[in-house]
């Protein structure tokens, strides 16, 4: 069983591997492949749920997916990604929504897309026993404002990210995701912090890496420029499903061994 303390202690020594998962089947595979951290990402909105952004994803959807992933993940740390407007609107509601992931759904921690408004909430959650992973750089829940472009590319923006990273470490976050920022900024943030940084499109000097599982498996229709496809599951699924369809249409499936008969049922009329 991986704990938030284990992950924190991997900073600067062992590369941390994180991957999204949205169901028990995928969680079992990723767990057996030795992935350290499974993120129940709100990217499920883009992947399994078929939306064109993460904005419509609900607390109930993340809670349900977190339950499935937690049941499949025997060893990996499970982190629930808090959806758009499930935190930050109202303090009590934020704590209840985040607490529910740990108390009811089986998460080990929550992730919040961070900003100046999440410093106090991070501190409060950690104080209450809900571990928090921070997330800076590209935060897709702000896509209406920022789009999906690179972040932290000016000195001012980079300073703001570095400052917010420090403030979230001080607030008690156990790790920080850095998304779509220049590699030299991510390297300096990683140096400045004692908690691990986990990069996505943030270069090779972070303490760990995260990708969306559909992009890794080759299931995504479109994937970000910083992702890498390590398999062709869409091709394999297409072959398997086409094979099934052709076998039914040709009468090849089902064969005798796929059915059964009962003698006394002969000549019913
Ligand atoms: N399948 C998937 N993979 C992801 O990595 C991912 C999601 N979904 N959904 C949530 C966010 C959205 N992400 C994205 C999506 C698109 C770009 C992208 O295409 N960026 C281009 C265009 C920028 C623009 O539109 O201005 C770039 O060159 O930066 C980057 C990150 C990362 N996350
Ligand atoms: C890409 C990761 C960091 C994420 O937030 C998600 O998958 O929702
Ligand atoms: Mg997310």
């Amino acid at each position: 069983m991986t704990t938030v303390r284990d992950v924190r202690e991997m900073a600067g020594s062992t590369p941390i591997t994180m991957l999204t998962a949205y169901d028990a089947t995928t969680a079992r595979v990723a767990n057996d492949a030795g992935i350290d951290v499974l993120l129940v990402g709100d990217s499920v909105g883009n992947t399994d749920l078929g939306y064109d952004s993460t904005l419509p994803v609900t607390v109930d959807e993340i809670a349900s997916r977190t339950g499935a992933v937690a049941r499949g993940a025997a060893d990996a740390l499970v982190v629930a990604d808090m959806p758009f407007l499930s935190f930050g609107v109202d303090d009590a509601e934020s704590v209840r929504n985040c607490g529910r992931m740990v108390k009811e759904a089986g998460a080990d921690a929550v992730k919040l897309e961070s900003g100046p408004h999440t410093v106090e909430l991070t501190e409060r959650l950690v104080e209450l026993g809900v571990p928090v992973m921070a997330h800076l750089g590209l935060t897709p829940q702000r896509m209406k404002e920022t789009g999906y472009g690179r972040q932290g590319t000016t000195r001012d923006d980079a300073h703001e990210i570095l400052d917010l990273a420090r403030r979230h470490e001080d607030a008690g976050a156990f790790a920080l995701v850095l998304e779509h920022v220049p590699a030299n900024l991510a390297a300096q943030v990683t140096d400045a912090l004692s908690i691990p940084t986990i990069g996505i499109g943030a270069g090779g000097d972070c303490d760990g890496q995260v990708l969306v599982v559909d992009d890794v498996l080759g299931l995504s229709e479109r994937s970000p420029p910083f992702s890498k496809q390590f398999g062709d599951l869409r091709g394999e699924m297409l072959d398997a499903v086409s094979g099934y369809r052709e076998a039914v249409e040709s009468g090849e499936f089902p064969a005798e061994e796929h059915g059964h008969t009962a003698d006394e049922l002969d000549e019913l009329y």
Side-chain angles (χ1 to χ4, degrees):
M1 287 290 284
T2 307
T3 65
V4 293
R5 214 174 112 188
D6 296 331
V7 171
R8 189 195 271 269
E9 286 172 358
M10 289 166 84
S13 52
T14 320
I16 298 161
T17 56
M18 178 157 118
L19 187 64
T20 69
Y22 317 108
D23 60 75
T25 304
T26 308
R28 260 183 243 117
V29 172
N31 184 85
D32 294 353
I35 295 292
D36 299 309
V37 184
L38 293 179
L39 174 68
V40 186
D42 62 346
S43 50
V44 71
N46 295 93
T47 61
D48 295 15
L49 299 178
Y51 296 119
D52 64 3
S53 81
T54 60
L55 304 189
V57 175
T58 66
V59 174
D60 285 348
E61 283 165 344
I62 293 294
S64 163
R65 298 303 184 115
T66 297
V69 169
R71 288 188 287 277
D75 314 291
L77 190 85
V78 176
V79 179
D81 199 12
M82 297 308 295
F84 183 49
L85 298 184
S86 70
F87 60 97
V89 177
D90 171 84
D91 281 348
E93 190 196 25
S94 303
V95 172
R96 240 176 259 119
N97 285 337
C98 293
R100 174 178 167 196
M101 297 302 167
V102 174
K103 185 170 174 141
E104 293 170 28
D108 297 304
V110 298
K111 180 171 78 59
L112 306 180
E113 289 193 10
S114 310
H117 63 296
T118 55
V119 176
E120 276 183 29
L121 177 59
T122 298
E123 198 167 354
R124 181 79 182 120
L125 287 166
V126 173
E127 183 179 68
L128 290 169
V130 178
V132 176
M133 178 179 281
H135 179 168
L136 293 168
L138 176 62
T139 48
Q141 289 171 19
R142 305 193 76 86
M143 57 81 80
K144 296 283 184 191
E145 186 194 343
T146 61
Y148 289 128
R150 298 181 300 154
Q151 300 295 311
T153 54
T154 67
R155 287 188 80 87
D156 277 359
D157 289 353
H159 273 297
E160 192 182 336
I161 288 171
L162 180 58
D163 177 57
L164 282 170
R166 289 194 167 111
R167 288 169 66 193
H168 282 82
E169 168 168 296
D170 291 346
F174 75 96
L176 167 68
V177 169
L178 285 172
E179 180 165 353
H180 213 9
V181 298
N184 50 343
L185 168 59
Q188 291 174 76
V189 173
T190 302
D191 265 352
L193 301 190
S194 59
I195 58 170
T197 58
I198 301 176
I200 171 164
D205 291 326
C206 293
D207 296 298
Q209 294 291 324
V210 58
L211 283 176
V212 167
V213 68
D214 289 59
D215 300 339
V216 168
L217 296 177
L219 277 174
S220 302
E221 296 236 286
R222 275 180 310 134
S223 34
F226 51 69
S227 68
K228 180 172 172 176
Q229 194 181 315
F230 289 84
D232 177 28
L233 267 204
R234 188 178 195 283
E236 294 208 19
M237 287 172 75
L238 207 52
D239 286 350
V241 175
S242 303
Y244 164 66
R245 179 183 60 76
E246 284 161 16
V248 170
E249 287 175 355
S250 69
E252 206 177 297
F253 179 84
E256 221 158 14
E257 74 253 35
H258 302 117
H260 58 96
T261 56
D263 290 344
E264 67 269 31
L265 299 186
D266 284 341
E267 294 173 41
L268 283 176
Y269 65 91

